[in-house]
Amino acid sequence: MKKNTIKVFIAITAIATASQFVLYAGATEKTILSAGAADVVEYEETASETKAAKNADLTESMADTEDAVLEEAPLEEEKKVVVSAGSGYISQTVPESMQDDPIDEDEINGGGAYGYTNLGIARVEDHLNVRATADDNSKIVGKMSNNAGCEIIGVEGNKAHIVSGSVEGYVSMDYLLSGTAAIEYADSIVKNLAKVSADGLKVRKTPSLEGEVISLVAYGEELEVVEELDGWVKVLYDGEEAYVSAEYVSVGKNLKTALNMSEFLYGEGVSDVRVELCEYAKQFLGNPYVWGGTSLTRGADCSGFVLSVYAKYGIGLPHSSAAQANMGTKISMSEARPGDLVFYSKGGRINHVAIYIGGGQVIHASSPKTGIRITSAYYRTPTTVRRIIQD
């Protein structure tokens, strides 16, 4: 028997098997004494020597016979007390006012689940805005899609301070599940996701490089996995089964996370300078195509448009698509990121250039008829892709 063992004598004579006596230990706790077969009950107590002493004194005041032994573990941040009774047991519980919900082990551990200590899940039809402060009019710094997860740092009024992915900010609690509800909901929705690691990844009807291309998905997109195959992953795309190359996705059971505004517009992991360059180029949509021109407002041809956009960011390029195709580093179309250059040819000779803006799209000075516009990067077959911005 340990040195700190306290012998407790409890008079249980003349107590019927179903009898119970309730003794209250302070305003916020209760101790239940009941008769029956011998039991061993473990419960956790808060780290307070004063509280432990109070409970011991209360029990000793009931002592008459040597039928129970109370063993107390060394005082730590949390202590375990074991009660062994020959004809009954003693257990300590929280007040009835706090017993509305069953005890959940995840809640005891801080609500931890799926890599989060205090999990929150967005429940919205489209996107939940993440703002810089708890003010409803503050800047939007990111967006959480429906079922995206986050870490809840704290709550201010009706706003939760959260971190999700690379985004930190505030969201409305009206659209956020938390606590046990979030964990239970996560258990019902978490699926294998294929996270895209290349921009402009082709989604095909069949698992073959010859398969028809249904669409293109941006870097950072997550697709629900149906099945993993040899070299291919069967996914759900717009509710239909489709295929993507296993080489350009990572598969895992995770909750989606928020996207910052750059990621929301251009895909995950895109640098600020790339985002700014693409946004700058978009300002000139609809302006005229002029052969040999370099003016973003009065008119430019394809290489003149690229030349002038890049010049804004201190990068000098020649005024010729064929010459620009020799600049920077050659990359594959699957590696293309917003701001990279996509080149096209006719008769084996490069004759056109466009700026890739993500999501399988380019912006370019297209023709005298259409001017500066956004189209699919595959409106013609790309000849080569060059990376000028090294980041």
Side-chain angles (χ1 to χ4, degrees):
M1 187 173 293
K2 299 178 181 178
K3 291 182 180 181
N4 65 343
T5 298
I6 304 172
K7 292 185 177 180
V8 180
F9 302 91
I10 305 175
I12 316 179
T13 58
I15 300 178
T17 298
S19 300
Q20 290 188 342
F21 300 91
V22 179
L23 301 174
Y24 287 90
T28 61
E29 300 172 318
K30 67 180 181 182
T31 301
I32 300 174
L33 173 65
S34 68
D39 292 270
V40 176
V41 179
E42 291 188 354
Y43 68 94
E44 292 187 355
E45 177 66 303
T46 55
S48 167
E49 293 188 33
T50 303
K51 196 170 199 178
K54 182 189 294 185
N55 291 338
D57 290 342
L58 177 63
T59 308
E60 287 178 348
S61 68
M62 300 163 55
D64 276 27
T65 62
E66 193 172 349
D67 282 336
V69 176
L70 178 81
E71 290 188 0
E72 193 171 302
L75 288 170
E76 299 173 348
E77 185 174 342
E78 288 187 345
K79 302 189 305 182
K80 281 188 176 179
V81 179
V82 179
V83 179
S84 173
S87 58
Y89 66 86
I90 299 173
S91 66
Q92 192 158 352
T93 66
V94 296
E96 292 179 1
S97 63
M98 295 174 63
Q99 294 181 14
D100 296 332
D101 298 311
I103 295 174
D104 188 295
E105 186 174 344
D106 286 327
E107 287 186 329
I108 294 172
N109 294 329
Y114 300 99
Y116 296 94
T117 301
N118 293 293
L119 175 65
I121 298 180
R123 296 293 288 122
V124 287
E125 290 186 4
D126 187 8
H127 289 88
L128 176 59
N129 290 333
V130 184
R131 296 185 179 273
T133 71
D135 187 335
D136 286 336
N137 296 315
S138 65
K139 179 182 177 182
I140 296 175
V141 295
K143 289 178 178 283
M144 293 178 68
S145 62
N146 187 42
N147 294 342
C150 68
E151 181 73 39
I152 300 176
I153 301 174
V155 177
E156 297 181 17
N158 191 41
K159 297 295 188 296
H161 183 189
I162 63 100
V163 172
S164 181
S166 63
V167 180
E168 179 176 354
Y170 294 80
V171 299
S172 171
M173 289 291 290
D174 293 338
Y175 306 99
L176 194 72
L177 291 178
S178 60
T180 303
I183 295 169
E184 291 177 349
Y185 184 69
D187 290 340
S188 71
I189 65 166
V190 168
K191 298 179 176 68
N192 265 357
L193 298 177
K195 188 169 185 178
V196 179
S197 56
D199 209 354
L201 178 62
K202 295 176 183 178
V203 181
R204 298 180 183 273
K205 273 193 174 181
T206 58
S208 166
L209 292 176
E210 305 303 319
E212 180 184 343
V213 176
I214 300 171
S215 185
L216 302 170
V217 289
Y219 183 97
E221 288 274 345
E222 292 171 311
L223 304 170
E224 183 178 335
V225 174
V226 176
E227 184 182 3
E228 292 185 67
L229 306 171
D230 184 18
W232 295 88
V233 178
K234 184 190 290 187
V235 299
L236 287 181
Y237 185 79
D238 287 342
E240 301 291 333
E241 291 185 352
Y243 299 85
V244 293
S245 171
E247 183 179 355
Y248 300 109
V249 296
S250 57
V251 177
K253 250 185 178 177
N254 299 300
L255 288 165
K256 295 181 180 180
T257 57
L259 299 177
N260 62 43
M261 292 312 294
S262 295
E263 293 169 337
F264 182 70
L265 293 170
Y266 295 102
E268 187 175 356
V270 179
S271 66
D272 288 343
V273 67
R274 290 178 176 273
V275 171
E276 290 174 11
L277 185 147
C278 292
E279 286 298 298
Y280 178 69
K282 288 180 185 179
Q283 294 180 44
F284 307 105
L285 280 170
N287 286 351
Y289 175 100
V290 174
W291 188 84
T294 59
S295 172
L296 296 173
T297 54
R298 296 189 302 275
D301 60 13
C302 65
S303 61
F305 173 69
V306 170
L307 178 156
S308 296
V309 169
Y310 266 74
K312 168 75 173 177
Y313 296 88
I315 300 172
L317 294 174
H319 191 181
S320 160
S321 58
Q324 289 176 0
N326 292 316
M327 305 293 288
T329 305
K330 182 179 180 180
I331 59 173
S332 67
M333 191 65 214
S334 63
E335 297 174 301
R337 309 295 294 278
D340 291 335
L341 299 183
V342 182
F343 294 86
Y344 305 86
S345 60
K346 184 176 181 180
R349 177 178 174 274
I350 289 176
N351 71 339
H352 193 67
V353 60
I355 300 173
Y356 188 67
I357 60 173
Q361 294 185 313
V362 292
I363 184 170
H364 53 137
S366 179
S367 70
K369 182 178 179 180
T370 59
I372 297 171
R373 64 173 180 159
I374 291 175
T375 65
S376 166
Y378 296 89
Y379 86 106
R380 290 166 61 186
T381 302
T383 300
T384 188
V385 183
R386 307 293 293 193
R387 175 158 293 163
I388 309 298
I389 302 170
Q390 303 297 332
D391 54 1

